[in-house]
Amino acid sequence: PKMIFVYTVITATGQMKNEANIEETCNRIASEQLRKYSKLLDELYTRAAIHSIQEMREEDERNYQVWYQSKLADFHNLPTEDSDEILSSFETFDKSGNGMIDEAELKMCLRGQGFTCDDSVIESWFDGVFAKQPGEGAELSRDDFCVLMVILKDLRQVVDDGDFTEWFEDVMDRSGDASIGVEEFMSQLPEVCALLKIDRPYLLELFRRVKNSEDEDEVIEEVGITTFVNWINKLVAQQDNMSYG
């Protein structure tokens, strides 16, 4: 629909003669759509990562501790300028100088680095992932913060297809039919929908793209979890190709 609107405006205003205008406009729309998809992916990856880590911790605290130490080692192996930048960010928001930051301070810190985090995500990092005991804790230590930065800077190395599928099944698929419906998406991810201005028409169009339907009039109310995960993988590959290109 947006492309049709642009085409109509261009032809009505006589800009059709300038093919450069048409190409530039179409490229801009495609770029904006891809950026929105990219932000959506970031939000989905973040929530899938939190769910995966929480599940691991609930099943076996020892495995969680091994994982935690491995991520801390990854931080220490970062280039010095990257690790120094992370530590500097932490120290900036550690107002009391006690080596701990609270939820409000973490939110400001993450937003300052370009991450979008709603309250539910922040609470999950504190209460489910980095609490000294699951369900406890209202502060993050410096080591916790370093591990979190390692995770956020490369979420795609933390979440695999199995993690995504499990998250969709456990959290998103409320009907238990191995699919994700428009209403399920909006009810389970209200913060994401509000943040990215995702409404029902947008999701219907998204689901049509996920199923690779060429019929623009087809109304697709739900998509299979496997199909959605495969679409995510294709989009990630497309983004990687554009980055390297």
Side-chain angles (χ1 to χ4, degrees):
K2 187 177 291 186
M3 291 297 296
I4 294 175
F5 171 77
V6 171
Y7 179 82
T8 302
V9 171
I10 290 175
T11 54
T13 56
Q15 296 183 61
M16 191 68 178
K17 297 178 182 179
N18 190 341
E19 295 183 1
N21 285 345
I22 299 175
E23 183 177 359
E24 180 184 353
T25 302
C26 292
N27 287 340
R28 186 173 67 251
I29 292 174
S31 178
E32 290 174 356
Q33 184 68 280
L34 193 58
R35 280 197 295 272
K36 190 167 183 176
Y37 282 162
S38 180
K39 291 180 180 179
L40 175 59
L41 282 186
D42 288 343
E43 296 294 331
L44 296 181
Y45 266 105
T46 297
R47 285 159 175 78
I50 289 172
H51 181 267
S52 176
I53 298 168
Q54 287 177 322
E55 288 284 302
M56 172 177 56
R57 188 169 195 182
E58 290 172 4
E59 291 175 3
D60 192 330
E61 179 70 18
R62 288 175 298 180
N63 283 346
Y64 166 82
Q65 292 299 333
V66 170
W67 169 85
Y68 181 97
Q69 292 301 323
S70 72
K71 293 302 174 185
L72 193 56
D74 289 343
F75 166 77
H76 290 299
N77 289 328
L78 290 174
T80 302
E81 59 182 21
D82 292 343
S83 59
D84 285 350
E85 181 180 352
I86 291 173
L87 292 175
S88 176
S89 296
F90 180 85
E91 291 167 0
T92 297
F93 289 91
D94 177 19
K95 302 299 184 182
S96 63
N98 67 345
M100 308 290 287
I101 58 175
D102 61 24
E103 292 184 15
E105 291 167 339
L106 177 63
K107 183 183 292 187
M108 289 189 292
C109 182
L110 293 180
R111 285 179 175 171
Q113 297 186 55
F115 295 107
T116 56
C117 290
D118 57 62
D119 290 341
S120 65
V121 168
I122 295 293
E123 290 171 5
S124 295
W125 286 126
F126 274 84
D127 297 335
V129 176
F130 293 114
K132 298 312 174 187
Q133 294 294 327
E136 298 179 4
E139 292 183 312
L140 249 59
S141 69
R142 187 174 72 167
D143 283 352
D144 293 339
F145 182 79
C146 293
V147 170
L148 177 58
M149 290 298 99
V150 169
I151 295 171
L152 291 178
K153 287 182 179 295
D154 203 356
L155 279 167
R156 294 169 190 174
Q157 295 299 318
V158 178
V159 180
D160 59 24
D161 287 0
D163 295 325
F164 247 132
T165 299
E166 184 176 347
W167 175 65
F168 279 131
E169 291 174 345
D170 292 349
V171 178
M172 299 290 288
D173 181 17
R174 309 314 296 171
S175 61
D177 60 357
S179 65
I180 305 168
V182 170
E183 301 305 325
E184 287 174 322
F185 192 104
M186 296 184 70
S187 65
Q188 295 305 118
L189 297 174
E191 299 91 351
V192 174
C193 292
L195 175 68
L196 301 181
K197 296 180 173 57
I198 292 176
D199 55 14
R200 179 179 173 80
Y202 181 89
L203 282 176
L204 290 173
E205 174 64 15
L206 174 64
F207 283 9
R208 190 180 67 79
R209 291 176 179 273
V210 169
K211 293 196 72 172
N212 200 29
S213 172
E214 296 182 358
D215 182 358
E216 294 188 0
D217 296 324
E218 184 177 7
V219 177
I220 298 175
E221 294 277 354
E222 63 179 19
V223 294
I225 290 175
T226 300
T227 302
F228 205 105
V229 172
N230 288 339
W231 176 79
I232 288 173
N233 289 333
K234 291 178 182 177
L235 187 58
V236 169
Q238 180 182 358
Q239 289 179 334
D240 289 344
N241 288 337
M242 291 181 66
S243 296
Y244 289 119

